[in-house]
Structures are given as structure tokens and as C-alpha cells.
Amino acid sequence: MKFLSIVAIEGLVLASSLFNVVQAASAGCGKAAKLKAGTNTMTVNSKTRDWILTLPDNYNNTKPYRLIFGIHWLTGTSSDVANGGSIQPYYGLPPLANNTAIFVSPNGLKSGGSTGWANSNGEDITFIQEIVKAVEADYCVNEKLRFSMGFSYGAGMSYSIACTLGKDFRAVAALSGALLSGCVGGTDPVAYYGQHGLSDSVLPIASGRQLRDTFVKNNGCTPQSPPEPTKGSKTHIRTVYSGCASDKPVWWTAFDGDHTPIQADNTGPNKDTTFTGKSVWEFFSQFS
Ligand SMILES: *[C@@H]1O[C@H](CO)[C@@H](O)[C@H](O)[C@H]1NC(C)=O
Ligand SMILES: *[C@@H]1O[C@H](CO)[C@@H](O)[C@H](O)[C@H]1NC(C)=O
């Protein structure tokens, strides 16, 4: 009986998500895009802002794609995320997304010699909104499938996006983050993935827990103190919160390590290969 009722519910969900896909196709669907892949610029709040657009192979303007923002860390650049170097491009997501997503890497503003996401008077949130508009006017995006992820300052900015644009973004992932870019709003439920190192020497894990708990509350999850690996184990533990609104999950990955977006376990089948991209893609790809 249980199995049958689950099948019936899945039928309904499938029918409604197909409907949503049709409803959520952006204005750019069916259009010949003028906006080019690579670096683009726009003026936001009287400042010139630049960002990188990365298209899937064989982009097809009749298919609504996911839109995924990858946001850089303090002193990082849009190129560090889009092209990789110290990390895999876009934190390792593109091979897993397998050409089902359009990626964007925005560039932060320089202040005092470093580039970041101070989001003064909401200007970085406005920048994100303007990029969404520009991409979706020209490219075919499923407007119900917008995502943001980032490390450190980029996690703070992704958190700020969840706070302020929670109705517009399907999910965010904050890697080793803290409250750095503000939280205007902050009361909407948003699917939330948090990840943090136990021994983070830059932004202590307490700051990551604090961000997470905003969405534990907003999403109606049962509060808990998730298990954490023992120090010295070089492993990670992922906790899927219970009690959350069904389409607003919260996942929390605590790892035995420092301030890094490329942590790997030193045991198990994926020894020495970072779990970050795989874990975040598992979170993002559950929404369709
Ligand atoms: C584009 O996608 C549509 C819908 O999935 C498909 O019917 C069409 O064949 C695709 N076009 C190309 C050139 O692949
Ligand atoms: C990627 O997508 C293509 C086209 O839809 C499919 O044929 C292929 O199996 C996919 N590859 C993986 C690794 O999922």
C-alpha cells in the first residue's frame, strides 16, 4: 500500500513539475542569443561590473537549463571560479551537470586591494539580479532552477542571496561561510547546503552553523546538533535534517579540516578526491 501511494504521489509530482517547467521557461527560450559566452560587463549602481558566462556544449534554445552561480572567495576572481586553478572550474559541478546547466561567475568589487562581496547597500545583490535578467532575456533558463554556491566570501554572498532572493533561487550551497555580505530579509525558506571544516582557522565552524540555522528555522526543520567527525579522522559526515518542508531540505557536511573548498577524505573509495562538487551536485540535482 505504501509503495502504491508513493507511486501515485510521484505521478502527481511529475505532472506538476512538467507543468512548472513549461511555466518557468525564461524569455530567452526560442531566441537567438546576443549575449556571448565569456566575460560580459554591465553598469550597476554607476559601477562597471564584470562577470563570466559559461554555456553548455551544444546549447539548445528550446531546452530550459539550470542557472548556477559560482561565487569566488576573498581575493579570488571570477576567472578563478570559471576557469579553475586552485579549484576545479565552478567547484567541480560542470562534468556532473553534463551540459544541463548554464554557469555564471560574477566578479566582486575591489576594496582595499582585495576583491570580495561587501554588498554595500545591497549593490552585489542588485548585480546578481541584473545578471539573472540579462541571461534569462537571451538564454533558455528554467526560472524555477536557479542556484548559487560559493566558498568563504562567496559562501557569505550565496547566503545573502538566500536571505534576499529566496523566492527566486531554488537552492544555495555555502562552503566554509560566515555572515559577511549581510542578510536582508532572511525569513523565506530556501533549500540550503552548508559545509564547514572543524578546524577552520579563518572562519570558525560556529559561523557556518549560524548560517545553517537560519534555514533550519525558516524551512521548519527539527533543530539538532549534527554529528561531526572526530579530529584527526580526515573524514566528513553529512547530515540530512529531518522535519523540513518537503521541497526545502537542509544538508550539513562537517569535515575534519581547515578553510578549504576542496577537502578530501584520506580513507574510503574516494580517498584524496574532493567530495565538494559531488556532494553539492547531489543536493542541487534533486530539484527538477
Ligand atoms: C533541441 O531540443 C529539442 C527539445 O529537447 C529537441 O527536439 C531538438 O532536437 C534539439 N535540437 C538539437 C539541434 O539538438
Ligand atoms: C550526459 O548527457 C547525454 C545526453 O543527454 C547522455 O547521453 C549521457 O549519458 C550523459 N552522461 C552522463 C555521464 O550522465
Side-chain angles (χ1 to χ4, degrees), residues 22-44:
V22 172
Q23 294 298 298
S26 68
C29 295
K31 271 177 69 174
K34 289 194 214 76
L35 196 61
K36 296 285 179 249
T39 301
N40 286 284
T41 59
M42 56 171 59
T43 304
V44 178

Side-chain angles (χ1 to χ4, degrees), residues 58 60-63:
N58 305 315
N60 178 334
N61 72 8
T62 67
K63 287 189 194 168

Side-chain angles (χ1 to χ4, degrees), residues 1-287:
M1 278 312 287
K2 185 136 192 244
F3 178 71
L4 284 177
S5 65
I6 288 168
V7 169
I9 289 166
E10 279 185 347
L12 278 176
V13 170
L14 184 62
S16 75
S17 66
L18 285 173
F19 177 74
N20 286 343
V21 167
V22 172
Q23 294 298 298
S26 68
C29 295
K31 271 177 69 174
K34 289 194 214 76
L35 196 61
K36 296 285 179 249
T39 301
N40 286 284
T41 59
M42 56 171 59
T43 304
V44 178
N45 201 20
S46 314
K47 292 173 188 164
T48 302
R49 303 296 304 260
D50 62 282
W51 52 287
I52 296 174
L53 173 65
T54 305
L55 296 173
D57 294 341
N58 305 315
Y59 168 74
N60 178 334
N61 72 8
T62 67
K63 287 189 194 168
Y65 289 81
R66 291 164 188 273
L67 179 62
I68 303 178
F69 282 79
I71 306 190
H72 67 74
W73 48 92
L74 180 73
T75 74
T77 65
S78 53
S79 173
D80 290 335
V81 170
N83 302 313
S86 61
I87 61 165
Q88 294 170 310
Y90 292 101
Y91 299 101
L93 262 61
L96 302 167
N98 189 20
N99 297 312
T100 62
I102 293 170
F103 287 89
V104 165
S105 177
N107 213 12
L109 288 173
K110 209 163 243 174
S111 154
S114 52
T115 315
W117 303 99
N119 191 26
S120 304
N121 300 313
E123 66 183 339
D124 291 320
I125 289 288
T126 305
F127 180 35
I128 299 295
Q129 287 177 300
E130 292 301 318
I131 295 173
V132 169
K133 272 192 220 159
V135 173
E136 293 183 3
D138 257 31
Y139 287 95
C140 193
V141 169
N142 181 341
E143 297 181 344
K144 295 223 160 28
L145 295 177
R146 303 180 184 123
F147 304 88
S148 181
M149 75 177 299
F151 164 67
S152 197
Y153 220 152
M157 187 59 203
S158 294
Y159 174 78
S160 188
I161 288 171
C163 288
T164 310
L165 305 177
K167 288 190 171 67
D168 301 322
F169 277 69
R170 188 66 188 82
V172 305
L175 311 174
S176 308
L179 182 60
L180 299 169
S181 307
C183 178
V184 173
T187 54
D188 286 326
V190 184
Y192 188 85
Y193 177 98
Q195 177 174 305
H196 219 106
L198 299 182
S199 313
D200 195 315
S201 57
V202 179
L203 301 172
I205 191 169
S207 59
R209 294 188 192 119
Q210 182 196 347
L211 305 190
R212 173 200 71 201
D213 286 342
T214 299
F215 293 98
V216 168
K217 176 164 175 276
N218 294 358
N219 300 4
C221 317
T222 308
Q224 63 159 297
S225 296
E228 295 178 346
T230 48
K231 286 200 175 154
S233 67
K234 293 273 175 56
T235 57
H236 70 282
I237 298 180
R238 184 168 76 198
T239 298
V240 174
Y241 273 74
S242 61
C244 313
S246 61
D247 61 342
K248 306 288 179 189
V250 172
W251 291 12
W252 172 250
T253 297
F255 61 86
D256 177 36
D258 202 338
H259 192 63
T260 173
I262 55 167
Q263 183 71 28
D265 292 343
N266 75 346
T267 56
N270 298 313
K271 182 178 185 298
D272 299 334
T273 302
T274 182
F275 49 79
T276 295
K278 196 165 167 284
S279 203
V280 171
W281 179 247
E282 222 178 296
F283 188 70
F284 285 177
S285 62
Q286 70 185 303
F287 309 111

